[in-house]
DNA sequence: TGATAAACAGTCGTGCACGACTTAATCGTG
DNA sequence: CACGATTAAGTCGTGCACGACTGTTTATCA
């Protein structure tokens, strides 16, 4: 490690550029790692993330999924429609409040969970990291994300 | 029907799901944090990343940029064409090897660097982290990315 | 030397992601 | 009840990202 930090003005700016570069690359790397595994069960990466939320808790609204995925409804609606066309879920207006649409797994969608169960272990192995390391890294990234969102919203 | 599937030992698999969720969210958060700043100078987030590479080293080939951004040429070519249409760079075949296209900044593209110089500091402030923390986090993410890429390529 | 393979950038079709706008239902206050 | 404001989901247009394919140029080999 070099003891002296190069104090060029504007040089320090490079460092956080590199952080966003690394996040950018990591996101692509994850997507590419999942892609061949997901292709076998006919899902794209964002579709898999949405299905994972439903596997964890069925019968969610578009708004809930939108918030948990950090996606706009304009992005999520077509994605859910494709999953519906594939027979994996159903979309129906809530009878109480007809503004909201409830998304529920079909038997086929629930069944797919079994096939998808082996995927996380494959990715875990690909990372070559322990669960503790992954958890710690996740916490750091979540904290960073929260700060970026707060700064963006409150600025 | 599977009765009571929650709480199975398969939930340990959830942890790395959460890591990919966090990367997914962080990538969006970065993109959204940059977006309003970049809008002022007329760049999108991926365009900014490409320009940043050129500001660091002018006169690169499409292949070099493609590799450094982890993007396919089919993604990069239209992006560069838009930047060319905006007058920020030029694209010309190499006279020695006409298979490669060299990308160079125009005076306008070089000038834009001055305007963009203040952006990284804004993002740095939004993260609320020190340069050391950012650097350490970056190293972890790069290491993770490298492992994912190696596993995907060599498996 | 002529055939063949490899490398490079580009085109096309599909899906993701957003902002701006639209439509429809609900709520709040009088 | 009325009526504007709010909320929820969806539509549309633009740009990003990929895989599969194409076309041209360069390199290699029999």
């Amino acid at each position: 490690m070099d003891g002296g930090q190069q104090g060029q003005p504007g040089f320090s700016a490079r460092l956080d550029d590199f952080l966003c570069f690394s996040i950018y690359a990591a996101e692509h790397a994850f997507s590419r790692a999942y892609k061949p595994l997901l292709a076998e069960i006919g899902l794209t990466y964002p579709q898999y993330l949405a299905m994972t939320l439903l596997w964890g808790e069925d019968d969610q609204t578009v708004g809930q999924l939108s918030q948990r995925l950090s996606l706009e409804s304009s992005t999520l609606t077509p994605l859910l429609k494709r999953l519906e066309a594939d027979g994996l879920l159903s979309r129906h207006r809530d009878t109480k409040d007809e503004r909201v649409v409830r998304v529920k797994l079909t038997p086929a969608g629930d069944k797919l969970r079994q096939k998808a169960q082996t995927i996380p272990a494959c990715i875990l192995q690909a990372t070559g990291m322990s669960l503790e390391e992954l958890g710690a890294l996740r916490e750091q990234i979540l904290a960073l994300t929260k700060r970026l969102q707060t700064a963006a919203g409150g600025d």
Side-chain angles (χ1 to χ4, degrees), chain A:
Chain A
M1 59 146 21
D2 46 21
Q5 188 95 339
Q6 301 301 332
Q8 297 277 348
F11 182 82
S12 63
R14 282 282 94 78
L15 265 183
D16 82 304
D17 267 343
F18 285 359
L19 179 58
C20 82
F21 265 91
S22 70
I23 295 277
Y24 190 73
E27 161 63 8
H28 286 155
F30 259 112
S31 174
R32 285 173 188 150
Y34 274 101
K35 187 157 289 187
L37 303 174
L38 294 175
E40 296 183 14
I41 60 176
L43 291 180
T44 67
Y45 184 58
Q47 286 172 0
Y48 170 73
L49 296 180
M51 290 298 288
T52 297
L53 288 182
L54 288 170
W55 288 328
E57 179 188 344
D58 198 0
D59 193 13
Q60 297 193 56
T61 70
V62 172
Q64 286 174 325
L65 295 171
S66 169
Q67 188 173 7
R68 290 172 185 175
L69 290 168
S70 297
L71 292 180
E72 303 299 316
S73 72
S74 52
T75 300
L76 202 49
T77 294
L79 188 154
L80 294 174
K81 281 189 167 183
R82 277 184 283 271
L83 291 173
E84 185 185 32
D86 292 342
L88 299 178
L89 51 80
S90 65
R91 296 160 56 252
H92 292 296
R93 296 269 167 194
D94 189 310
T95 52
K96 283 283 192 185
D97 185 345
E98 294 206 356
R99 290 175 305 176
V100 318
V101 167
R102 307 204 69 88
V103 181
K104 304 180 188 180
L105 291 171
T106 62
D110 187 77
K111 194 159 190 167
L112 197 64
R113 185 199 320 205
Q114 311 303 324
K115 282 193 182 177
Q117 237 172 10
T118 63
I119 292 179
C122 297
I123 300 297
L124 174 62
Q125 190 179 9
T127 65
M129 295 171 69
S130 71
L131 287 176
E132 289 115 15
E133 289 175 303
L134 288 175
L137 185 53
R138 174 172 63 92
E139 289 306 321
Q140 289 181 74
I141 294 171
L142 286 178
L144 167 64
T145 302
K146 185 152 287 189
R147 285 192 186 135
L148 284 175
Q149 289 170 342
T150 304
D155 192 47

